[in-house]
Amino acid sequence: MSSSSIIMRHYRGELDLQPLVDLINACEAVDKLEVSVSTAQLKIEIETPTVDFDRDLRLWEDAEGKVIGFGKLSIAEPIENNLADGTLWLIVHPLARDGELDSQIIAWAEHRMNEVGKQWQGQPKLFAWCRNTRLDRMAMLEQHGFRANRHFWFLFQPLTEPIFTPHLPEGFTIRLVNEETEAQAWVDLYNRSFLSTWNYHPLTLESYQHRSQDSDYLPELDFVAVNSEGQFASICCCTIEKEHNTFVGRQEAWVAWLFTSPDFQRRGLARTMLLHALANLKALGMEIAQIGVDSENAFG
């Protein structure tokens, strides 16, 4: 596809949600990654609190005005000695995967991150994610200078068998989080738990509240372990993507968050929380539980 026939433009909000869903569906028809999304879900994913609509989002159209490319940068501010970084969400229509459009999107992202570097007086990093089954995408990213930096695994647990009931450490209880009154405590525990992990950037209260607006977020699956003084010690939060389950024909759930404060680690709390969550997912009729893990996680 000739670069002269491709037009880059800004994101127009609600008007662009359905064209972007159509783009994702066109990619799914070829890539077979079991990716499905509604306009409501896409709005939550795109319009995050930290995104700058004018500078961090772009769409690309062909000569007929059809959306064939999308780029979003999630930019994290630098903390202490860590430089700023940006993660690029890049989507290209299967019929436009000749390299030209990929190059345009990456060039736009690099230009934007150079602006960020000047703003914060440092050399920022640019990340992009890729599944190991997308060999074409990996090759394309490598051609543009990307190198493998970190590997993450998706793990699956069938819920057809009985779930083992673990012994909760003495002095702790498990209950549901009150998202209205305990949001800040949730965020504080997250930040304490991940402070020393790779590529950590603080979670804000605004970002937490934004995510809780997602229809896939279920308050009845947001669990916290507290000590005898009511202090948050460990969190396990699960989500059920109902529309996705209809799309794939399976009852699946995600363990979206599982973390423990450094003050309470090595006591078996995370394992207890996970098994508690799995039992609840099974009771809700889920057949499979999934979780994403860092292959180099020191606590894995």
Side-chain angles (χ1 to χ4, degrees), residues 107-135:
W108 161 77
E110 290 175 339
H111 177 76
R112 172 68 180 123
M113 291 310 297
N114 283 330
E115 290 180 342
V116 171
K118 293 177 181 178
Q119 176 184 350
W120 287 321
Q121 299 182 345
Q123 182 59 50
K125 298 166 289 185
L126 178 61
F127 293 97
W129 299 95
C130 181
R131 294 199 191 187
N132 61 357
T133 56
R134 285 290 309 277
L135 299 181

Side-chain angles (χ1 to χ4, degrees), residues 28-229:
E28 169 60 22
V30 173
D31 301 330
K32 307 295 184 183
L33 298 176
E34 295 192 341
V35 173
S36 65
V37 66
S38 66
T39 54
Q41 290 171 320
L42 192 60
K43 181 179 177 66
I44 291 289
E45 290 293 332
I46 291 177
E47 299 181 8
T48 52
T50 56
V51 70
D52 184 325
F53 284 16
D54 290 331
R55 295 187 291 179
D56 300 341
L57 294 171
R58 289 291 187 275
L59 286 80
W60 283 259
E61 295 179 341
D62 63 13
E64 286 73 43
K66 180 179 179 180
V67 175
I68 58 172
F70 172 73
K72 176 193 173 183
L73 277 168
S74 298
I75 301 174
E77 294 187 14
I79 55 172
E80 297 181 353
N81 295 325
N82 293 327
L83 296 178
D85 62 59
T87 300
L88 174 61
W89 181 10
L90 180 155
I91 307 175
V92 173
H93 194 285
L95 297 180
R97 292 177 182 173
D98 57 2
E100 185 66 36
L101 183 51
D102 295 287
S103 297
Q104 286 195 34
I105 297 175
I106 291 173
W108 161 77
E110 290 175 339
H111 177 76
R112 172 68 180 123
M113 291 310 297
N114 283 330
E115 290 180 342
V116 171
K118 293 177 181 178
Q119 176 184 350
W120 287 321
Q121 299 182 345
Q123 182 59 50
K125 298 166 289 185
L126 178 61
F127 293 97
W129 299 95
C130 181
R131 294 199 191 187
N132 61 357
T133 56
R134 285 290 309 277
L135 299 181
D136 59 327
R137 183 179 174 92
M138 282 193 284
M140 180 275 295
L141 290 171
E142 289 175 353
Q143 290 172 1
H144 287 85
F146 287 86
R147 295 292 179 267
N149 182 267
R150 204 81 169 183
H151 294 88
F152 293 81
W153 302 103
F154 291 129
L155 305 181
F156 302 83
Q157 171 65 52
L159 300 176
T160 52
E161 299 297 326
I163 305 299
F164 175 72
T165 303
H167 175 69
L168 186 64
E170 185 176 355
F172 293 91
T173 56
I174 298 176
R175 63 171 174 81
L176 294 176
V177 174
N178 186 322
E179 60 175 314
E180 294 184 359
T181 62
E182 297 179 319
Q184 188 62 61
W186 200 106
V187 170
D188 291 343
L189 179 59
Y190 172 95
N191 288 325
R192 288 199 304 275
S193 302
F194 289 101
L195 179 62
S196 300
T197 60
W198 175 80
N199 203 36
Y200 162 76
H201 292 282
L203 177 69
T204 65
L205 179 61
E206 186 180 18
S207 292
Y208 170 81
Q209 292 171 333
H210 173 78
R211 177 53 59 185
S212 67
Q213 297 171 14
D214 193 333
S215 61
D216 295 331
Y217 170 77
L218 301 174
E220 62 269 30
L221 293 174
D222 197 350
F223 304 104
V224 59
V226 298
N227 66 6
S228 57
E229 298 176 354

Side-chain angles (χ1 to χ4, degrees), residues 227-263:
N227 66 6
S228 57
E229 298 176 354
Q231 183 179 2
F232 275 29
S234 185
I235 290 282
C236 186
C237 180
C238 303
T239 60
I240 298 175
E241 301 176 5
K242 296 179 182 178
E243 293 187 17
H244 174 76
N245 288 350
T246 299
F247 177 72
V248 300
R250 298 187 299 272
Q251 292 301 309
E252 301 178 343
W254 278 96
V255 179
W257 297 108
L258 177 61
F259 52 89
T260 302
S261 167
D263 297 332

